[in-house]
Amino acid sequence: MATARTALEKVCGDVRADAEHGLTAAPASVEEAAAVMRAAAEHGLAVLPQGAGTRAHWGPPARRRDLVLDTRRLDRLVEHAAGDLVVKAEAGLPMGRLAAALAERGQRLALDADPASTVGGTVATGAAGPLRLLYGTPRDLVIGLTLVRADGEIARSGGKVVKNVAGYDLGRLFAGSYGTLGLIVEATFRLHPRPAVSAYVTASYTDPDAAHAAVQAVLHSPVHPSAVEVAAGGGGIAVGVLAEGATDRSGAVAALLGPGASADASPPAWWGRRPGGGILIEVTGRPTDLPRLLRAAPALAWSASGHGWTALPEDADPAPLLAALRAIGGAVVRTGPARVMQGPDVWGPLPALPLMRRVKDQFDPGHRLSPGRFAGGI
Amino acid sequence: MTEAVSGLAERFTALLGPGGVVTDPVRLATYECDGLTNHRARPALVVLPDDGAQIAEIVRACVAAGVPYVARGSGTGLSGGALPRTDGVLIVTSRLRRVLEVDVPNQRAVVEPGVINLDVSRAVRADGYYFAPDPSSQQICSVGGNVAENSGGAHCLKYGFTAHHVLSCEVVTPEGEVVELRADDPGYDLLGVFVGAEGTLGIATKVTVKLTRLPETVQTLLAAFDSIERGGTAVSAIIGAGVVPAAIEMMDALSIEAAEASVACGYPPGAGAVLIVELDGPAAEVEHQFAQIRALCEEAGAFEIRVAADDAARALIWRGRKSAFAAVGRISPAYLVQDGVIPRTALPRVLARIDALSAESGVRVANVFHAGDGNLHPLVLFDDAEPGAAERAEQVSGAILDLCIEHGGSITGEHGVGVDKARYMPRMFTATDLDTMQMVRCGFDPAGLCNPGKIYPTPRLCGEAPGVRKGVHPLVEQGKADLF
Ligand SMILES: Cc1cc2nc3c(=O)[nH]c(=O)nc-3n(C[C@H](O)[C@H](O)[C@H](O)COP(=O)(O)OP(=O)(O)OC[C@H]3O[C@@H](n4cnc5c(N)ncnc54)[C@H](O)[C@@H]3O)c2cc1C
């Protein structure tokens, strides 16, 4: 390790070592990051890319970790081409700073990102919030990516134009890859104008079928919502609809939600929140699975496009709930105590796992990038 | 026919019946090319399977025999993606045309890959839905082809491309395994990279597509300007105002002239450029933004603005735009269709450079484009009877791609790389970029039998460990010399 440290110090201005974390290197440029990755390859170090650490505890812990590659000094906003609705930023830039810069020009990256999280972490974990109904997740909004491979080579895919089909789209492959394929160093995103009017229309229900009927009414209407969210737990079921644009459509939405619906310019307290609990489970399903999910899960935060969250107390056995959820759709444990995260029940079925392993073997033949953090033990 | 292929022909006849295998040279000739007719190769064998299970068997047999194979949908591709191999098998999906399931409550449909794009919308229109990707070829192109090319159309400005409208694909992998790639499943987004991989990562045998709610209102406007620059200013103003129309299309004087000669679309006489802007969505929203767009077009100097009063009037406005490619055939014996992308703010600069290129070379260029997202479709006109004219046109067409790259754009926005543009890839990407992309291909297709020779100018040897390159292929070297 001492020689590895010396090698890292030669190429990177910020290398630290302490008993708890081992080695940490924080490169300040793409080239420096590549040099760090090259040195790590030469010394066979297992590398854990990390941004602000807002999701560092998500997923199983790494099997091996010799070097944390801290991206937070890679924090430049490289280019905001406002007229083209495109922004390019380095991986360590906090999403909050990015959002503030975009807001100055009346634009946004439609991901509901955690302001403390970084660009790289957001892409690597595929993080998205309620707006996913209309705008999707990072895989849908990343139009260009710069990455450093396990061997330290810098590679790019995509570009800075929204419409582009030249070559494979590595942006989509790297979105949600949790640092297991390479180090994301820059990302270019498609942006959207900030709407002039935002209305949050909410109503509450007691019966899962009534809540579901309200959600379906909105989805199949022409009101064109940006988000349709459901929050259940502790009794009632809240349904919230975000209608954005140049005009106020809250009246039309309220009519669909039924008597008792009310509109507000700001989101309700539960909007975009995940249920609390030591064991956090990401849930997927079809829109019509909602009533069954509401009955199966103790608490549920659900985006109508078919994605949500539920949670259990830290000391609970998640197996029965996971089985119930997987009989409906998908369920992945995102956080939990070691006994759960190191157990066999984190991911559920992975039909494409052999193919995933082969892709992983190409990008990281030595299995040194975040080993064990990903689906199927990748 | 090689021994390996004749062995396959026998096997496939047993599997598909004699009607499912084509060996007759005359019939084989109809599969020689896709929509890009200047690349041709007669396949050794064509098969017409009925379902996904048969495709899996065909692929496994090809792999066992070491014979390359290529998938083909409707053959409308414009980059030679479905160009067959003379030593290989062409797997045509035209018999896989069933819409398997329509699930309106979940806003999705499951279709076979040979289903025609527009037939998906036809199947769900009565329910108030449609399939949003709308390539101009939508009356004939297949959903499998759309998936492979990540196709878009005029309305992808607002609604995105095929990649945004596919929820899952059942895929026969290049090694013959059947696997479902789902956007929702945990793990790598293999679906995300499969879409747009131009048929090099396997064959889609079932596609679950997202259905989009038909908008409450559609409004279409035609604005005429005396110059392309003024039209370009209007486009920038619309985007700058924070409006995202469903479509913004532009045509220049030469393409208007062609469309006029062909379909008498009756665009305002004397226009140097016309802009077609379409808005859709909730009625109040559309009305508000439509007024805004109208004002912005007037400010930018539009000398005439027409608003479609009904569907018939809307169809008339679109007729000129939609006929533009074919119409150019009326004013020129032959032409090349180019597909390049630039940041939309670079539009006026790049169009001026294209004008200059045209003037210098004496080669006429008609410009039709998806202005909203900077996707240019210059049509390079030439007379194929004149010696050297095709080469000059080819040069101008290539120089336009260089302009796109120089301005931070792309060599293709929707037609794909295929065989046609593989040689331009090294101008846009470094050898390492291309090598890295091909790691995905090596993971999927270590034997390199699935649609080989497409997209990448130099195949990566899949046995190699990353980073240990032994010398650079001369082609890449040349490409680099061109670029830097
Ligand atoms: C007049 C005209 C207008 C056009 N306009 C547009 C446009 O506006 N936008 C646009 O994006 N494109 C356009 N195109 C191009 C073309 O229509 C699209 O690329 C279309 O998606 C191709 O579909 P296809 O079924 O014809 O595919 P093919 O040409 O048969 O094949 C295209 C590629 O897909 C692969 N493929 C086919 N089926 C499968 C499958 N099941 N699984 C895996 N791979 C498969 C093939 O191997 C090939 O690489 C146009 C073409 C024409 C002729």
Side-chain angles (χ1 to χ4, degrees):
Chain A
M1 253 342 122
T3 55
R5 181 173 179 176
T6 316
L8 289 166
E9 279 168 345
K10 257 189 219 149
V11 296
C12 178
D14 186 351
V15 177
R16 285 157 275 152
D18 66 56
E20 192 191 339
H21 300 100
L23 277 172
T24 298
S29 71
V30 170
E31 290 67 31
E32 207 176 318
V36 167
M37 291 290 279
R38 219 172 300 125
E42 274 157 20
H43 292 268
L45 304 184
V47 182
L48 193 73
Q50 195 166 110
T54 58
R55 291 187 170 192
H57 59 297
W58 282 39
R63 265 196 305 271
R64 224 183 105 202
R65 182 186 69 182
D66 304 320
L67 172 68
V68 171
L69 198 151
D70 179 346
T71 62
R72 282 175 300 176
R73 292 175 71 218
L74 274 166
D75 66 348
R76 279 188 320 137
L77 194 164
V78 182
E79 183 187 8
H80 177 199
D84 295 314
L85 287 160
V86 160
V87 74
K88 179 175 184 177
E90 288 183 339
L93 182 70
M95 293 302 280
R97 262 171 59 197
L98 177 62
L102 300 176
E104 275 174 31
R105 305 293 301 270
Q107 298 180 354
R108 66 175 174 179
L109 173 52
L111 283 176
D112 302 298
D114 173 350
S117 68
T118 61
V119 163
T122 300
V123 175
T125 60
L131 289 173
R132 66 191 306 141
L133 175 71
L134 192 57
Y135 298 102
T137 66
R139 57 108 66 184
D140 301 299
L141 295 169
V142 172
I143 57 170
L145 197 75
T146 311
L147 59 102
V148 178
R149 305 197 314 203
D151 62 2
E153 295 284 326
I154 300 168
R156 293 183 170 81
S157 89
K160 60 172 192 173
V161 284
V162 168
K163 204 168 180 185
N164 177 10
V165 292
Y168 293 161
D169 193 329
L170 299 183
R172 290 201 287 266
L173 181 67
F174 272 64
S177 65
Y178 278 82
T180 60
L181 290 177
L183 175 73
I184 297 169
V185 284
E186 293 171 330
T188 307
F189 298 96
R190 165 180 199 173
L191 303 173
H192 287 88
R194 286 172 77 87
V197 181
S198 299
Y200 296 82
V201 186
T202 53
S204 58
Y205 306 85
T206 47
D207 172 28
D209 294 317
H212 177 54
V215 168
Q216 284 279 313
V218 174
L219 285 183
H220 297 289
S221 79
V223 295
H224 199 63
S226 301
V228 178
E229 292 283 296
V230 179
I237 305 167
V239 173
V241 176
L242 172 60
E244 300 179 313
T247 57
D248 179 12
R249 302 195 300 288
S250 57
V253 176
L256 292 164
L257 291 186
S262 65
D264 205 315
S266 47
W270 52 266
W271 189 261
R273 288 265 189 89
R274 295 185 285 268
I279 302 175
L280 177 68
I281 301 168
E282 189 167 356
V283 183
T284 51
R286 296 166 307 168
T288 54
D289 292 328
L290 175 60
R292 287 173 72 199
L293 291 170
L294 283 169
R295 290 187 172 99
L300 186 71
W302 181 251
S303 298
S305 52
H307 178 274
W309 303 94
T310 186
L312 289 171
E314 171 134 13
D315 56 5
D317 171 13
L321 177 60
L322 290 172
L325 294 171
R326 286 175 189 153
I328 302 169
V332 172
V333 185
R334 286 304 181 190
T335 70
R339 82 187 145 83
V340 174
M341 298 316 289
Q342 285 163 4
D345 212 18
V346 173
W347 304 99
L350 297 163
L353 184 60
L355 215 43
M356 289 181 205
R357 285 198 201 287
R358 279 157 44 190
V359 170
K360 164 76 175 179
D361 288 346
Q362 289 290 325
F363 280 84
D364 178 21
H367 294 195
R368 289 185 299 101
L369 303 183
S370 307
R373 296 263 295 135
F374 203 54
I378 284 175
Chain B
M1 198 185 284
T2 63
E3 215 171 290
V5 173
S6 66
L8 288 177
E10 257 174 60
R11 259 193 88 170
F12 295 157
T13 308
L15 177 70
L16 309 173
V21 181
V22 180
T23 51
D24 166 42
V26 177
R27 281 185 65 208
L28 286 175
T30 55
Y31 296 99
E32 270 179 0
C33 65
D34 61 8
L36 184 73
T37 52
N38 54 335
H39 292 273
R40 284 174 189 273
R42 186 168 303 183
L45 196 63
V46 171
V47 289
L48 302 160
D50 287 308
D51 58 32
Q54 289 182 347
I55 292 181
E57 275 205 45
I58 292 163
V59 168
R60 281 196 289 267
C62 288
V63 172
V67 169
Y69 56 92
V70 176
R72 176 183 166 112
S74 301
T76 67
L78 291 174
S79 53
L83 182 77
R85 293 270 303 210
T86 52
D87 57 348
V89 176
L90 187 71
I91 303 173
V92 182
T93 63
S94 58
R95 290 186 177 175
L96 283 88
R97 290 234 166 123
R98 283 157 290 236
V99 175
L100 299 171
E101 189 190 338
V102 172
D103 180 358
V104 171
N106 286 310
Q107 303 178 312
R108 64 192 66 189
V110 185
V111 303
E112 289 188 327
V115 168
I116 301 304
N117 170 299
L118 201 57
D119 285 342
V120 182
S121 294
R122 287 201 184 107
V124 299
R125 183 149 294 149
D127 295 302
Y129 280 85
Y130 72 113
F131 179 49
D134 63 336
S136 310
S137 51
Q138 69 180 154
Q139 309 212 18
I140 38 171
C141 66
S142 73
V143 173
N146 298 164
V147 167
E149 301 291 348
N150 189 16
S151 296
H155 295 79
C156 61
L157 175 60
K158 177 170 173 183
Y159 292 99
F161 317 101
T162 302
H164 302 116
H165 297 274
V166 172
L167 296 167
S168 80
C169 279
E170 179 190 270
V171 171
V172 174
T173 69
E175 301 202 304
E177 298 296 314
V178 179
V179 55
E180 184 84 24
L181 304 180
R182 290 161 30 103
D184 266 357
D185 276 348
Y188 298 131
D189 185 0
L190 299 183
L191 177 68
V193 69
F194 181 83
V195 176
E198 305 192 22
T200 61
L201 298 181
I203 302 180
T205 48
K206 250 181 225 170
V207 185
T208 304
V209 298
K210 215 186 263 183
L211 302 175
T212 303
R213 182 77 176 75
L214 282 167
E216 191 173 29
T217 317
V218 183
Q219 283 269 29
T220 312
L221 151 163
L222 178 85
F225 298 87
D226 58 13
S227 69
I228 278 276
E229 289 70 32
R230 291 228 158 110
T233 308
V235 173
S236 295
I238 292 168
I239 302 292
V243 181
V244 182
I248 311 182
E249 302 283 306
M250 186 144 68
M251 292 167 72
D252 72 356
L254 193 52
S255 51
I256 297 170
E257 179 195 324
E260 216 57 76
S262 165
V263 297
C265 46
Y267 288 172
V274 295
L275 207 58
I276 299 172
V277 186
E278 191 155 283
L279 283 171
D280 67 12
E285 196 73 7
V286 168
E287 202 177 305
H288 182 274
Q289 298 194 327
F290 203 70
Q292 216 177 340
I293 285 177
R294 213 187 155 117
L296 291 169
C297 285
E298 275 162 7
E299 254 168 58
F303 67 79
E304 186 173 337
I305 292 180
R306 290 184 194 164
V307 177
D310 52 29
D311 285 348
R314 180 174 3 271
L316 191 65
I317 289 182
W318 276 107
R319 191 190 301 160
R321 165 64 185 89
K322 290 199 169 164
S323 70
F325 285 13
V328 162
R330 292 268 184 141
I331 61 164
S332 173
Y335 61 96
L336 301 172
V337 179
Q338 189 48 282
D339 166 41
V341 190
I342 51 170
R344 70 194 130 218
T345 46
L347 220 63
R349 270 174 293 150
V350 172
L351 290 174
R353 295 276 299 274
I354 293 179
D355 255 359
L357 262 175
S358 172
E360 276 161 32
S361 61
V363 174
R364 290 195 300 166
V365 179
N367 284 296
V368 181
F369 39 92
H370 307 301
D373 41 29
N375 188 187
L376 311 178
H377 285 314
L379 305 167
V380 183
L381 316 189
F382 65 101
D383 182 352
D384 45 356
E386 188 190 317
E391 290 73 17
R392 277 199 302 281
E394 192 65 62
Q395 260 170 20
V396 168
S397 188
I400 293 175
L401 288 187
D402 285 332
L403 280 178
C404 292
I405 297 171
E406 190 187 310
H407 287 82
S410 169
I411 58 169
T412 171
E414 54 184 21
H415 295 167
V417 178
V419 281
D420 192 42
K421 288 186 174 168
R423 67 206 147 106
Y424 292 106
M425 286 290 272
R427 300 194 194 176
M428 190 168 158
F429 294 109
T430 67
T432 309
D433 299 343
L434 298 175
D435 182 65
T436 308
M437 293 178 193
Q438 289 193 80
M439 287 177 174
V440 180
R441 189 173 193 160
C442 287
F444 274 74
D445 183 20
L449 293 173
C450 182
N451 208 4
K454 310 293 166 70
I455 308 179
Y456 304 102
T458 319
R460 177 175 209 272
L461 297 175
C462 294
E464 288 177 90
V468 211
R469 287 292 79 72
K470 294 190 189 65
V472 181
H473 191 284
L475 267 181
V476 176
E477 201 64 81
Q478 277 170 25
K480 278 179 87 173
D482 272 2
L483 180 57
F484 301 111

